[in-house]
Amino acid sequence: MFIAYRPQDDGLVERLDPGHWHPAYDAILAECALPMTPLGEFIEHITYGAIVTGRRPPHDPGGLPLVGQGALRPSGVDLDGVTRVPADTPWALERARVRPGDLLIARSGAGSLEKNRLAVCHEDAPAVVDCFVDLVRLRGIAPDFVAAFLRTRFGWAQIHRMLNGVGPANLSFDEIRSLRVPQLPDDLQQQVVRRHADEVLPPHRARRFDDAKGAVRRIVADLEARLTAG
């Protein structure tokens, strides 16, 4: 579906598709008791992987894991069974190399983006994202907190709002930057970080993904309750 935009006096553009402006989205965000800030204020680096047409990436058992949408689990990144590409190939772009703490977001598709498929990388092994995954490197805010927030109704309402009226589901870099996150004190952000380390990562690394997913849901529910209470 085509989306129309209207220029504004400040040089920005405004979406004209009616679904984007449905009052239900504002009603959900109004329930968040804390002030919110655009995520773009915390983004140090944002990119996606190489687009290589007409060829499939070669597999090298000793190469870099190529992180696609299927590797993004609620509890983290699962590199088991992924294609590994040689470091000297077009798929192994330096700008798309993954570091621990990077937030990885499925960038398109009803089966991925529309299901809020995202994860924070907690692995030290070098890897690189493919062209269907956005790499978002943050500073000044805890990535685990951001990932948990984007799974709350406050975060998901913003993503869903961006997708409303779009044909193929997709989020642009500007739309990712525009997502608003609450100004949660550092100590409370660190509570989310500690719980993720203590409750999510052990079952994730043991490949008990259902247990890890359940732990993520509990953290998200508790965070949502905290944001509602103020």
Side-chain angles (χ1 to χ4, degrees):
M1 181 182 297
F2 176 76
I3 300 178
Y5 293 86
R6 176 175 58 203
Q8 300 182 81
D9 293 339
D10 57 7
L12 301 176
V13 293
E14 182 179 68
R15 285 177 59 151
L16 298 181
D17 49 309
H20 180 80
W21 301 106
H22 195 287
Y25 295 117
D26 290 327
I28 291 172
L29 291 180
E31 296 176 17
C32 182
L34 296 179
M36 305 179 82
T37 302
L39 183 62
E41 294 191 11
F42 305 100
I43 292 180
E44 181 178 67
H45 176 59
I46 185 168
T47 190
Y48 51 78
I51 299 176
V52 183
T53 59
R55 289 185 290 164
R56 295 176 63 86
H59 179 67
D60 176 0
L64 293 170
L66 189 61
V67 181
Q69 296 177 348
L72 306 183
R73 293 182 176 271
S75 51
V77 179
D78 176 19
L79 299 179
D80 186 59
V82 303
T83 297
R84 293 175 174 265
V85 296
D88 59 353
T89 59
W91 290 269
L93 291 177
E94 187 64 35
R95 63 170 170 80
R97 302 288 179 93
V98 181
R99 300 178 186 175
D102 284 346
L103 174 63
L104 308 181
I105 304 174
R107 63 186 303 261
S108 63
S112 295
L113 177 57
E114 287 189 356
K115 292 185 178 180
N116 214 1
R117 190 182 286 262
L118 56 91
V120 175
C121 178
H122 286 280
E123 309 309 319
D124 292 326
V128 62
V129 294
D130 73 9
C131 61
F132 297 108
V133 173
D134 284 333
L135 183 159
V136 183
R137 188 163 297 144
L138 301 168
R139 66 176 184 279
I141 195 169
D144 286 321
F145 161 64
V146 174
F149 171 73
L150 292 178
R151 291 191 170 95
T152 68
R153 69 179 185 272
F154 308 118
W156 175 235
Q158 295 181 73
I159 294 174
H160 190 271
R161 184 177 204 169
M162 296 293 185
L163 302 181
N164 201 331
V166 179
N170 185 63
L171 278 183
S172 70
F173 289 166
D174 284 344
E175 287 171 332
I176 291 174
R177 292 186 181 98
S178 74
L179 295 172
R180 290 182 293 157
V181 293
Q183 298 175 19
L184 196 66
D186 287 344
D187 60 329
L188 296 179
Q189 289 188 40
Q190 290 306 312
Q191 286 183 18
V192 175
V193 173
R194 287 192 295 272
R195 288 191 63 184
H196 191 90
D198 294 342
E199 302 173 27
V200 177
L201 285 182
H204 172 83
R205 288 173 171 160
R207 303 190 64 76
R208 292 187 286 110
F209 295 123
D210 286 345
D211 292 342
K213 185 177 181 179
V216 169
R217 286 176 172 170
R218 290 190 291 274
I219 292 171
V220 170
D222 291 346
L223 175 60
E224 193 168 289
R226 173 66 181 82
L227 297 176
T228 304

